[in-house]
Amino acid sequence: MSAGAPRGAGGGLRTSLSGLTTRGRSFLAAGVAAAACAYVLGQGELLRVGLLLAVLPLICVYALHRTRHRVSGSRRLTPGRVPAGAEARVQLRMDNTSRLPTGLLMLQDRVPYVLGPRPRFVLDRVEPGGRREVSYRVRSDLRGRYPLGPLQLRLTDPFGLVELTRSFSTYDTLTVIPRTEPLPPVRLTGESSGYGDGSRRSLALAGDDDVIPRTYRRGDDLRRVHWRSTARYGELMVRREEQPQRSRATVLLDTRQIAFDGAGPDSAFEWAVSGAASALVHLLEQGFSVRLLTDTGDSVPGEGGGFSSGRDESAEAAGLMMDTLAVVGHSDGAGLSRAYDAVRGGGFGGSGGEGLLIAFFGDLDDVQTELAARMRQRASGAVAFVLDCATWGGQPAPGQAVPPVEERLRRLRDAGWTALAAPPGVAFAELWRHAGTTAFTTGTSGGRA
């Protein structure tokens, strides 16, 4: 929510005089002409009429000049983050904090053209201390961050002689995140969920010498009181509860300009961004510690390949990753080497290559296919969704020799990937279910998909 007073309220009467309408200038000119004729002809009644015509616009200018400082406006945006295609509600509120009523007011809020037409509202006289509220809705099919505002206010007098336009200094930002699809729970690795079998570690089962107690908190089970530590520290101590070791997952998004062709909501790149967002949300719901990685080597939420951790931290990390996907664009990179270095540099943690890798690739030449295949060595499970520009209506970049998609899939599967092609129009939930079935069949049979 933003609030403030009109910008430019410190301007002088000269600025206010520039707000005279055609009617106001006509009144002023007619009054001056009538006063001049009355002086030449010696007509006192005509002089009074001329003075009335000339003074009336000046009185209106002064009245608006005095009251414009005492009008405040605010904007409330709910929600501030919406998926593409969803609507957000913007509520505008005007408060008259002066002792005088206002004249006719016209509100106009600046919005980008992708959010719809510019909203305009006409408000009748607002009494002293009164309030008026109006609202409108915005919607965008394109992800991104869009500024709303500043709010413009047009003040007019009852006679229509003066119009003053002022802009408020505050604005809000609407974040349009990619569309997400609800995904079915599938088994992509040897673990059934983010907390996986055999990954729980309980400190309460340790011996008395190894236990790490903590201070008693209201609501703790008294059966977990550690009496030896209580006697030692002089305050009630309890055994620390079970600490689940969360499985890790990395969602890799290929953003190379040469790997994708076309633009718009139905392009291959937008499908990949939407699929990455769906996978991130699903993995977080399943209890995984998740990070978003791009071909540039940048990692979200943490620097140095950090993962989300904890319930509160996961919610914050989900917001950061979705905000990143809302504005992610094509990179100028030509390869996946930096992403490979990020994966090889301990992104999965633990010896033996723990973790799940979900990748969304565009066109891959022979070198990049080999590099992507080597990423599998650091993951306990790896699923790749490969988009082919030829099937999405585009063409590979000039000078880039791209093998057929079947050849790329075969090489990735030989390296241990669960690799699937993503044709145009396919629902990501169906591919996700197919990936789970393929990964489970491969893991139980010991063969390739």
Side-chain angles (χ1 to χ4, degrees):
M1 179 177 180
S2 59
R7 187 172 52 194
L13 285 174
R14 181 177 300 179
T15 304
S16 300
L17 285 172
S18 64
L20 284 171
T21 62
T22 303
R23 181 185 300 177
R25 296 177 186 274
S26 300
F27 266 63
L28 186 60
V32 172
C37 293
Y39 177 76
V40 173
L41 300 176
Q43 297 291 329
E45 295 182 357
L46 182 60
L47 179 61
R48 287 193 291 269
V49 173
L51 291 176
L52 176 63
L53 293 176
V55 170
L56 183 59
L58 299 179
I59 294 176
C60 293
V61 168
Y62 181 75
L64 286 182
H65 176 75
R66 293 288 297 175
T67 58
R68 62 183 177 143
H69 302 278
R70 301 178 180 273
V71 178
S72 63
S74 63
R75 181 192 302 103
R76 183 185 297 274
L77 175 62
T78 52
R81 183 189 291 122
V82 295
E87 290 186 342
R89 185 170 180 264
V90 184
Q91 184 175 2
L92 305 177
R93 190 181 75 182
M94 298 301 302
D95 293 286
N96 181 18
T97 58
S98 68
R99 299 180 181 179
L100 298 175
T102 67
L104 194 65
L105 302 178
M106 190 182 80
L107 296 180
Q108 178 177 279
D109 208 6
R110 292 185 178 180
V111 299
Y113 70 95
V114 296
L115 298 183
R118 181 171 295 183
R120 294 182 175 91
F121 304 94
V122 177
L123 303 181
D124 205 352
R125 176 180 178 273
V126 182
E127 66 279 1
R131 174 186 301 174
R132 297 291 186 272
E133 293 184 356
V134 293
S135 63
Y136 65 95
R137 295 183 180 274
V138 291
R139 177 181 178 274
S140 175
D141 292 327
L142 300 175
R143 57 185 177 83
R145 300 188 68 189
Y146 303 102
L148 301 178
L151 181 66
Q152 291 183 330
L153 174 64
R154 181 177 297 175
L155 304 174
T156 62
D157 65 287
F159 305 102
L161 303 179
V162 186
E163 285 186 358
L164 295 180
T165 302
R166 295 292 180 264
S167 296
F168 290 76
S169 58
T170 56
Y171 66 93
D172 292 279
T173 301
L174 174 66
T175 302
V176 181
I177 61 177
R179 292 186 179 93
T180 58
E181 299 182 36
L183 303 180
V186 297
R187 190 172 183 177
L188 300 177
T189 64
E191 298 177 349
S192 59
S193 69
Y195 292 104
D197 298 334
S199 62
R200 287 187 177 271
R201 293 183 296 184
S202 175
L203 296 179
L205 298 180
D208 287 341
D209 296 333
D210 298 328
V211 71
I212 304 177
R214 62 169 176 82
T215 306
Y216 174 83
R217 300 170 187 169
R218 187 172 182 178
D220 286 337
D221 191 351
L222 292 178
R223 289 175 296 182
R224 294 197 295 111
V225 174
H226 191 248
W227 298 109
R228 178 174 297 183
S229 298
T230 299
R232 178 180 179 183
Y233 294 104
E235 58 179 332
L236 203 59
M237 306 293 289
V238 296
R239 288 184 172 90
R240 190 172 297 180
E241 62 274 8
E242 287 186 347
Q243 300 292 329
Q245 183 181 4
R246 306 177 73 193
S247 299
R248 292 181 172 182
T250 294
V251 176
L252 172 60
L253 177 62
D254 183 7
T255 64
R256 295 173 299 135
Q257 177 71 46
I258 63 175
F260 297 92
D261 193 11
D266 298 328
S267 64
F269 181 68
E270 293 300 323
W271 188 95
V273 173
S274 178
S278 301
L280 286 171
V281 173
H282 177 75
L283 293 172
L284 286 171
E285 291 175 350
Q286 295 299 313
F288 282 83
S289 293
V290 186
R291 70 167 176 174
L292 171 66
L293 183 66
T294 64
D295 59 287
T296 61
D298 297 330
S299 176
V300 180
E303 297 293 336
F307 289 79
S308 62
S309 60
R311 179 172 300 180
D312 296 337
E313 290 80 0
S314 294
E316 182 179 356
L320 290 175
M321 289 184 283
M322 297 304 286
D323 289 345
T324 301
L325 290 176
V327 297
V328 68
H330 290 294
S331 68
D332 297 331
L336 302 172
S337 58
R338 284 180 286 185
Y340 173 74
D341 293 338
V343 172
R344 186 185 60 178
F348 295 101
S351 59
E354 300 178 6
L356 174 65
L357 177 60
I358 307 294
F360 296 83
F361 294 122
D363 284 336
L364 301 172
D365 56 20
D366 292 332
V367 176
Q368 305 310 317
T369 302
E370 179 64 25
L371 204 59
R374 290 162 57 189
M375 293 182 188
R376 175 63 178 86
Q377 301 172 2
R378 293 291 300 173
S380 60
V383 180
F385 302 95
V386 182
L387 292 86
D388 186 26
C389 282
T391 59
W392 282 84
Q395 296 296 330
Q400 184 185 22
V402 179
V405 64
E406 293 79 8
E407 175 65 19
R408 285 173 274 167
L409 294 176
R410 183 191 62 80
R411 294 172 62 178
L412 292 176
R413 289 166 181 165
D414 288 343
W417 285 83
T418 300
L420 301 175
V426 66
F428 180 64
E430 293 299 325
L431 280 183
W432 183 264
R433 182 181 292 106
H434 188 194
T437 304
T438 305
F440 180 77
T441 304
T442 305
T444 55
S445 62
R448 296 193 195 91

